[in-house]
Amino acid sequence: MLILNFLYFLWGLIFGSFINVLRFRLPNNQSIIKPRSFCPDCKYSIPFYRNIPVASYILQLGKCSNCNCKISILYPIIEISTGLIWLFSSFYFNSLKKNIFLERILFVKQQEMWINSECKKNKKWIWWLMKFILILTLFTMGNTIYSQ
């Protein structure tokens, strides 16, 4: 079970990294597929071995390996929080089907929250955060009621 929980956390980190891609590129009308990840300051293309969620941020001390420009702390925060959400959902739901269902909804809500917080026109990120917490709470309560 411990290995499975660790895998849920890793998948959460990967999806958190994808949320970062969406958060940065969608408000700027950029493709989420091409080009590869790059430094927003010097436009240096980040190689795959320097694009590992959280670990790359720590190993590079939060800076671009090319220009030493500071990388926002939001990147690892989003990745870790998504990893923890996936991990905690694996504690609440013993069924893979229920986990996948919950994580899809939470992924969409978290993505929506971060993208809206990035958009200059819409600064209602606190409202989205509260909406996200509400949905997480409802699923937690739903599982508690369902299991009794």
Side-chain angles (χ1 to χ4, degrees):
M1 191 66 179
L2 185 62
I3 293 173
L4 188 59
N5 290 338
F6 180 71
L7 290 174
Y8 273 115
F9 181 71
L10 283 180
W11 272 110
L13 290 178
I14 292 167
F15 275 93
S17 182
F18 184 61
I19 287 173
N20 279 324
V21 169
L22 297 174
R23 177 181 72 89
F24 179 77
R25 293 187 181 198
L26 290 181
N28 296 318
N29 293 323
Q30 295 177 344
S31 168
I32 61 170
I33 299 170
K34 287 187 177 183
R36 295 175 45 94
S37 295
F38 58 90
C39 171
D41 197 48
C42 70
K43 308 296 185 230
Y44 173 71
S45 184
I46 300 171
F48 73 93
Y49 57 88
R50 294 196 182 205
N51 206 8
I52 302 166
V54 182
S56 294
Y57 187 87
I58 292 168
L59 292 173
Q60 294 174 191
L61 305 173
K63 296 179 181 178
C64 171
S65 61
N66 188 52
C67 69
N68 285 328
C69 172
K70 188 173 177 176
I71 299 170
S72 171
I73 189 72
L74 275 179
Y75 286 95
I77 287 174
I78 291 170
E79 292 166 357
I80 290 170
S81 66
T82 308
L84 290 174
I85 287 169
W86 280 59
L87 176 66
F88 292 144
S89 74
S90 74
F91 294 149
Y92 284 111
F93 295 104
N94 294 328
S95 162
L96 180 62
K97 197 178 214 181
K98 289 179 185 176
N99 265 331
I100 290 172
F101 177 74
L102 170 69
E103 287 151 359
R104 277 188 203 159
I105 292 172
L106 293 177
F107 174 76
V108 169
K109 287 290 144 201
Q110 193 178 22
Q111 166 196 338
E112 197 175 40
M113 176 187 74
W114 288 112
I115 288 173
N116 281 325
S117 72
E118 288 296 311
C119 289
K120 307 285 186 260
K121 300 172 191 166
N122 189 359
K123 287 293 183 179
K124 297 179 182 176
W125 67 272
I126 294 175
W127 184 79
W128 286 108
L129 178 63
M130 297 309 292
K131 190 174 174 184
F132 176 73
I133 291 169
L134 173 67
I135 288 172
L136 182 61
T137 304
L138 289 174
F139 273 102
T140 305
M141 288 171 49
N143 184 51
T144 305
I145 293 166
Y146 180 76
S147 64
Q148 291 178 350

